[in-house]
């Protein structure tokens, strides 16, 4: 139902305070009138419509600082330039139905919380051009998913502004005084948002766009006096002249530059001059031609770089050009005279773990091994240049002295979809002889063909001072899975995106129980075993015909020591690590992609039985008991087979309660008893009433009281499993969160996403849980009709089951279930993690083995389409017609 837009006349506008914003109020009387839909706009004017909310004024449209005006363009080929504060007021007015949807969405994101979960660190960025970076003195702003990282160059600390709308940031800019930040976003009905940098709150929201807010033209630049702006693109350089501010809509007048024989070029960036060169405009072309335009729009100077040029930055006297292969040139703004060049960054494929000084860095002769410069920022007052590169790294250079340029800081991040996280346990560190592993926090894998080792422990800075590499303080080591380093560069930054659908990179990770090896399942179906001490590959197993979705080690103290892997090819393989990973068994009980596989143990008063649990896109959950026959051959006897109406995407084992929690397609968490396979309870896994989306990952906190889930709506939720209450709702990623893991001490939650970024959340308040509340037996939550037993009956069954072992049922006695091949059989969901226990003769020690496995892409029907999306490079099923538009 559509309603007319409520407007405010000029007299009302003039009576409002300049230091206020307008917000629409929806009284009960107005709701009743809108429901009838029979009242005209005249009658609505008699109802209280607006109220004044004191908000600091924003000098966005002041004639004294025209460079701070907001200009946005979108793929709808429209350019919107607010010229007065009244335009802001009019854009705040909208229909009640739209406001109702907005209120409901905000309610979904924010829940009452007893605990504070803060974003502490972001490893990665999604800026691919100058429109996504901005710098004001020591503050550097760049995009990271649907968040903006505010990096203080002096203190090297991060701060964050999170767009709770969960839409990817596509453009941003800091005001000249550094007090405000404006962002553009993509998605349905995107907004231009103005943020207060001090308190990280949203001040103004501007609408009117229908498609992603980005440049159809490639770049836009404002003149210093604000009298005009320039746009460039394919065969296009155009000057747009602005009239005086007015309350009326005034069409913009544009004039093309005089290009002559340069008219067929692709112009990639533009900047307007400053100071003595304020009347000049500078452009670059795709083939490396730098041009200077005068006030008459004529080319007055040129410089041919003879290589691809991508980005520009300008000061009062310096013009900086970023080119391919890591080249950065500095020219004079007066006449384009060459001044100097900045050093190249690291070459692609560099082993950062062994380079502690620039003297050790030997560049290869072929320059194609360097990443391209894609964005530049210049702080001429402090002589600082910041350069972003196509492999998702950025460097901060000190250019005070031309003869000795110094590197102030640098960071290297994943450049493609992140798939899996594996935290490193402190118990592993006790037995490790490697200084790198002593301070290791977690390990990640990505589609960029790299495995990265991260350390965020600030208390070990002094201990690491002798062994830290020169490239990054948090990145300790990179392992490359292939000699072809082309995948290290983000294909989105290139002018022509590659159409190849070659699957590369790691898909899932798992550290061995002794902490000496790590198993990596890749997207080609191989399993690689790396020595964590020597950081060398020991074995490569061609295990599956399709990508490996999950791997897991068993604990030797259980009586068996195995490595299990599952794949999209519907098989589970069991390997013996002691015998050089010899194949022991292959299980083919599932009829679709096996999304997760876990080892578990059943503890009774007398014995301990080992289990293998697998869940699949065929909507089944299978429990297998591991035994050894008289001939010494291992048997995996199916003891329980559970078939539900919903697909299983991930699971986590709670050995303290003998339970396994599963993340399901209907956004519910279903918990089963590992003793008899019966469902213990069903509880909610996401917030909101939306009927679309599904749970992707699930993980259990070390206290056993909290569980974290990631949903296809790009949010992460933390639940109290005792009260079934959502205690935190986390957002900030712009793509589906592909893996989540709690740290071994429970103080941090790591999330990784298809946007290539890693978020580190501080959950230290969750770790403070009374001992009496950590692992109590939980009664069922009678919230679903399919749970028929009462709470008392469940308690009795739980007590009885813990006193006796389940009866082992042979395969031949299992009822044959007729399964239809599901639409989800090509699904790629997966991984989860669980706490394991090491049992010795004298005591029990808890060992948190966090397994990381990857959620895979799922072919979805219209009714269950995902709200997040990954590019074709991150998606792993050949049967997808348009993978870039499908959810995981």
């Amino acid at each position: 139902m559509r309603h007319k837009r409520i407007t405010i006349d000029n007299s009302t506008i003039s009576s409002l305070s300049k230091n206020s914003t307008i917000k629409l109020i929806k009284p009960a009387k107005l709701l009743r009138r809108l429901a009838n839909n029979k009242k005209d706009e005249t009658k609505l004017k008699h109802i209280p419509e607006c109220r004044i909310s004191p908000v600091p004024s924003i000098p966005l449209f002041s004639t004294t600082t025209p460079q701070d005006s907001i200009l946005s363009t979108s793929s709808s080929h429209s350019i919107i330039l607010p010229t007065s504060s009244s335009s802001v007021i009019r854009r705040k007015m909208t229909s009640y139905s739209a406001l109702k949807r907005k209120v409901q969405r905000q309610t979904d994101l924010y829940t009452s919380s007893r605990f504070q979960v803060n974003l502490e660190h972001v490893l990665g960025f999604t800026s691919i051009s100058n429109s996504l970076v901005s710098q004001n003195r020591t503050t550097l702003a760049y995009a990271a998913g649907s968040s903006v990282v505010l990096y203080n160059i002096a203190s090297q600390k991060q701060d964050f502004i999170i767009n709770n709308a969960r839409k990817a940031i596509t453009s941003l800019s800091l005001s000249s005084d550094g007090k405000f930040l404006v962002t553009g976003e993509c998605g349905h009905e995107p907004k231009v948002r103005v943020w207060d940098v001090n308190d990280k709150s949203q001040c103004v929201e501007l609408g009117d766009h229908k498609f992603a807010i980005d440049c159809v033209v490639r770049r836009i630049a404002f003149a210093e006096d604000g009298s005009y702006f320039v746009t460039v693109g394919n065969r296009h350089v155009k000057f747009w002249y602005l009239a005086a501010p007015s309350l009326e809509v005034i069409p913009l007048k544009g004039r093309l530059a005089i290009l002559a024989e340069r008219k067929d070029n692709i112009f990639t960036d533009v900047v307007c001059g400053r100071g003595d060169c304020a009347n000049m405009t500078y452009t670059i072309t795709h083939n490396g031609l730098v041009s200077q335009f005068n006030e008459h729009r004529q080319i007055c100077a040129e410089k041919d770089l003879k290589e691809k040029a991508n980005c520009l930055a300008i000061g009062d006297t310096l013009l900086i050009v970023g080119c391919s292969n890591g080249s950065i040139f500095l020219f004079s703004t007066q006449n384009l005279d060459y001044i100097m060049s900045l050093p190249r960054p690291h070459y692609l494929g560099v082993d950062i773990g062994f380079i502690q000084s620039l003297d050790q860095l030997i560049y290869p002769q072929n320059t194609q091994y360097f990443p391209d410069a894609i964005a530049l920022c210049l702080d001429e007052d402090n002589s600082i240049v910041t350069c972003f590169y196509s492999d998702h790294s950025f460097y901060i250079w000190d250019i005070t002295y031309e003869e000795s340029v110094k590197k102030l800081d640098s960071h290297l991040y994943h450049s493609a979809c992140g798939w899996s996280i594996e935290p490193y346990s402190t118990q592993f560190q006790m037995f490790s002889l490697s200084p790198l592993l002593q301070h290791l926090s977690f390990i990640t894998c990505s589609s960029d063909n790299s495995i990265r080792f991260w350390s965020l422990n600030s208390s070990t800075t002094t201990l690491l001072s002798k062994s830290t590499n020169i490239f990054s303080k948090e990145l300790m080591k990179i392992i490359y899975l292939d000699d072809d380093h082309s995948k290290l560069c983000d294909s989105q930054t290139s002018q022509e995106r590659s159409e190849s659908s070659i699957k590369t990179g790691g898909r899932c990770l798992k550290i061995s129980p002794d902490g000496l090896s790590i198993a990596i399942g890749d997207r080609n179906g191989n399993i690689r075993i790396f020595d964590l001490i020597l950081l060398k590959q020991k074995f490569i197993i061609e295990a599956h015909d399709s990508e490996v979705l999950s791997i897991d080690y068993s604990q030797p103290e259980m009586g068996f020591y195995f490595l299990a892997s599952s794949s999209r090819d519907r098989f589970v393989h069991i390997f013996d690590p002691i015998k050089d990973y010899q194949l022991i068994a292959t299980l083919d009980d599932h009829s679709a992609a096996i999304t997760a596989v876990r080892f578990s143990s059943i503890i009774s008063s007398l014995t301990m039985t080992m289990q293998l649990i697998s869940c699949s896109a065929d909507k089944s959950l299978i429990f297998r008991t591991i035994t050894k026959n008289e001939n010494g051959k291992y048997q995996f006897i199916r003891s329980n087979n559970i078939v539900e109406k919903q697909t299983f995407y991930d699971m986590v084992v709670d050995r303290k309660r003998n339970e396994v929690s599963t993340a399901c397609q209907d956004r519910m968490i279903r918990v089963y008893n590992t003793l008899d396979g019966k469902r213990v309870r069903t509880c909610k896994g996401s917030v909101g009433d939306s009927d679309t989306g599904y749970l992707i990952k699930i993980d259990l906190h070390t206290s056993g009281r909290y569980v974290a889930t990631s949903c296809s709506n790009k949010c992460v939720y933390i639940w109290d499993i005792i009260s079934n209450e959502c205690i935190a709702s986390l957002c900030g990623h712009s793509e589906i969160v592909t893996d989540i893991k709690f740290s071994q001490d429970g103080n941090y939650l790591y999330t990784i996403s298809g946007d290539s970024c890693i978020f580190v959340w501080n959950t230290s308040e969750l770790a403070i849980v009374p001992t009496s509340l950590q692992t109590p037996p939980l009664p069922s939550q009678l919230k679903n009709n399919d749970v028929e037993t009462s709470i008392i009956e469940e308690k009795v069954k739980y007590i009885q089951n813990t006193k006796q072992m389940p009866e082992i049922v042979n395969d031949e006695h299992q009822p044959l279930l007729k399964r239809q091949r599901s639409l989800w059989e090509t699904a790629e969901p997966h991984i989860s993690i669980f706490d394991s226990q090491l049992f010795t003769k004298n005591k029990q020690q808890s060992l948190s083995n966090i397994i990381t496995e990857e959620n895979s892409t799922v072919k979805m029907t219209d009714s269950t389409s995902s709200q997040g999306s990954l590019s074709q490079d991150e998606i792993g099923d050949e049967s997808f017609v348009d993978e870039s538009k499908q959810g995981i």
Side-chain angles (χ1 to χ4, degrees), residues 52 112 136 161 163 195 215 217 232 263 283 388 408 470 527 610 638 675 683 767 783 802 861:
I52 305 299
S112 57
N136 178 267
I161 291 178
N163 182 6
W195 308 83
C215 299
V217 291
V232 297
K263 64 180 181 179
T283 65
F388 291 79
L408 298 179
I470 65 171
I527 298 176
M610 187 173 172
R638 185 167 52 182
L675 298 173
C683 51
K783 294 199 173 185
T802 54
T861 60

Side-chain angles (χ1 to χ4, degrees), residues 98 190 202 237 246 252 284 323 328 330 372 403 444 454 493 581 642 828:
Q202 180 177 312
V237 176
S246 172
L252 294 175
I284 56 174
C323 301
I328 300 176
L330 279 69
D372 298 339
E403 62 277 3
T444 59
W454 307 89
T493 62
Y581 292 88
I642 299 165
E828 305 186 20

Side-chain angles (χ1 to χ4, degrees), residues 676-695:
D676 53 14
K678 292 184 178 180
R679 189 192 305 176
V680 177
R681 61 188 174 276
T682 302
C683 51
K684 203 172 183 180
S686 68
V687 175
D689 300 328
S690 175
D691 58 351
T692 60
Y694 49 92
L695 295 185

Side-chain angles (χ1 to χ4, degrees), residues 60 62 64-70 173-176 222-226:
L60 294 177
S62 172
T64 58
T65 57
Q67 65 272 21
D68 288 340
S69 297
I70 301 176
S173 180
L174 281 168
S175 61
S176 58
F222 260 103
E224 189 176 31
D225 60 359

